[in-house]
């Protein structure tokens, strides 16, 4: 008779465990299980955020480091090149300027109420761009037909001119554009500091 009683007790115990299991599962579906999933999502997102922000800050500090502490904007050595009113007032108005100590001919040009500084020669045929055609925010060299998009001086694919064949061996490069600042009616142009190697 003893063994039967033990067996019955065991069966009862199992049944109780099963009941408890069912109860927790039911509760789990409504409450804890949801929040567990949400918690998992939250952890995932918070991980993503911390990674993302870490990356961003690393990039930012990396960027700053490469600049070696120079302030943004025009370089400190601004040179006075002309009076603002010497540059023709219409959009695309140009004036050739010289910077003492610079071998490169430069020009100032009105572009959308600003005055931008750039190299004064076509990068392909070396013809002065002071006389180049200006339309649709771009300069077109009258000699070789190279088109420079403003304000960055990027090369635009163009049809070329009768003479462009003469310069086909020379690749056009981007037109150098320089930082300018108008101060007291004078146009200042930022010139890259001369390297120590040059005499």
């Amino acid at each position: 008779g003893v063994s039967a009683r033990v067996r019955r007790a065991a069966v009862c115990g199992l049944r109780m465990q099963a009941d408890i299991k069912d109860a927790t599962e039911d509760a789990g579906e409504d409450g804890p299980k949801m929040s567990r999933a949400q918690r998992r999502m939250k952890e995932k997102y918070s991980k993503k955020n911390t990674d993302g922000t870490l990356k961003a800050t690393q990039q930012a500090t990396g960027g700053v480091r490469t600049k070696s502490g120079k302030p943004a904007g025009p370089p400190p050595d601004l040179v006075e090149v002309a009076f603002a009113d010497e540059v023709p007032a219409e959009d695309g108005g140009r004036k050739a300027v010289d910077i003492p100590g610079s071998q490169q001919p430069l020009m100032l040009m009105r572009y959308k109420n600003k005055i931008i500084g750039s190299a004064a020669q076509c990068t392909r045929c070396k013809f002065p761009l002071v006389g180049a055609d200006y339309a649709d925010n771009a300069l077109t060299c009258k000699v070789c037909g190279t088109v420079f998009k403003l304000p960055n001086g990027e090369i635009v694919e163009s049809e070329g001119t009768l003479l462009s064949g003469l310069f086909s061996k020379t690749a056009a490069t981007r037109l150098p554009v320089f930082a300018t600042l108008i101060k007291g009616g004078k146009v200042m142009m930022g010139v890259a500091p001369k390297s120590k190697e040059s005499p």
Side-chain angles (χ1 to χ4, degrees), residues 37-197:
Q38 284 171 331
R39 220 175 293 137
R40 224 172 283 137
M41 289 284 277
K42 258 188 205 146
E43 274 171 35
K44 225 187 239 170
Y45 280 124
S46 64
K47 264 187 201 151
K48 255 187 200 156
N49 288 351
T50 52
D51 289 351
T53 45
L54 274 174
K55 259 182 212 144
T57 48
Q58 277 170 348
Q59 276 170 351
T61 50
V64 172
R65 222 170 288 134
T66 51
K67 275 184 191 156
S68 71
K70 271 189 196 158
D77 38 355
L78 284 165
V79 181
E80 185 186 312
V81 288
F83 289 100
D85 57 13
E86 289 181 89
V87 183
E90 77 268 14
D91 196 27
R94 273 152 280 169
K95 172 179 171 52
V97 291
D98 283 312
I99 287 184
S102 168
Q103 303 303 308
Q104 190 178 27
L106 302 165
M107 69 175 182
L108 296 172
M109 175 175 173
R110 285 202 190 266
Y111 171 75
K112 296 189 174 174
N113 304 325
K114 285 189 295 218
I115 292 180
I116 56 176
S118 73
Q121 288 178 331
C122 171
T123 58
R124 193 169 173 196
C125 69
K126 301 291 178 264
F127 201 77
L129 287 173
V130 174
D133 293 319
Y134 174 72
D136 301 326
N137 303 332
L139 283 173
T140 307
C141 176
K142 282 182 175 167
V143 178
C144 70
T146 302
V147 180
F148 301 100
K149 189 92 179 139
L150 296 171
N152 303 326
E154 282 157 15
I155 300 290
V156 182
E157 283 302 312
S158 61
E159 291 164 23
T161 63
L162 292 171
L163 295 173
S164 52
L166 296 174
F167 305 102
S168 58
K169 288 191 183 76
T170 316
T173 53
R174 191 174 167 158
L175 184 71
V177 176
F178 304 97
T180 57
L181 183 76
I182 297 169
K183 206 171 176 184
K186 293 170 184 168
V187 184
M188 320 283 280
M189 194 186 282
V191 189
K194 283 202 265 323
S195 60
K196 283 169 188 159
E197 290 156 31

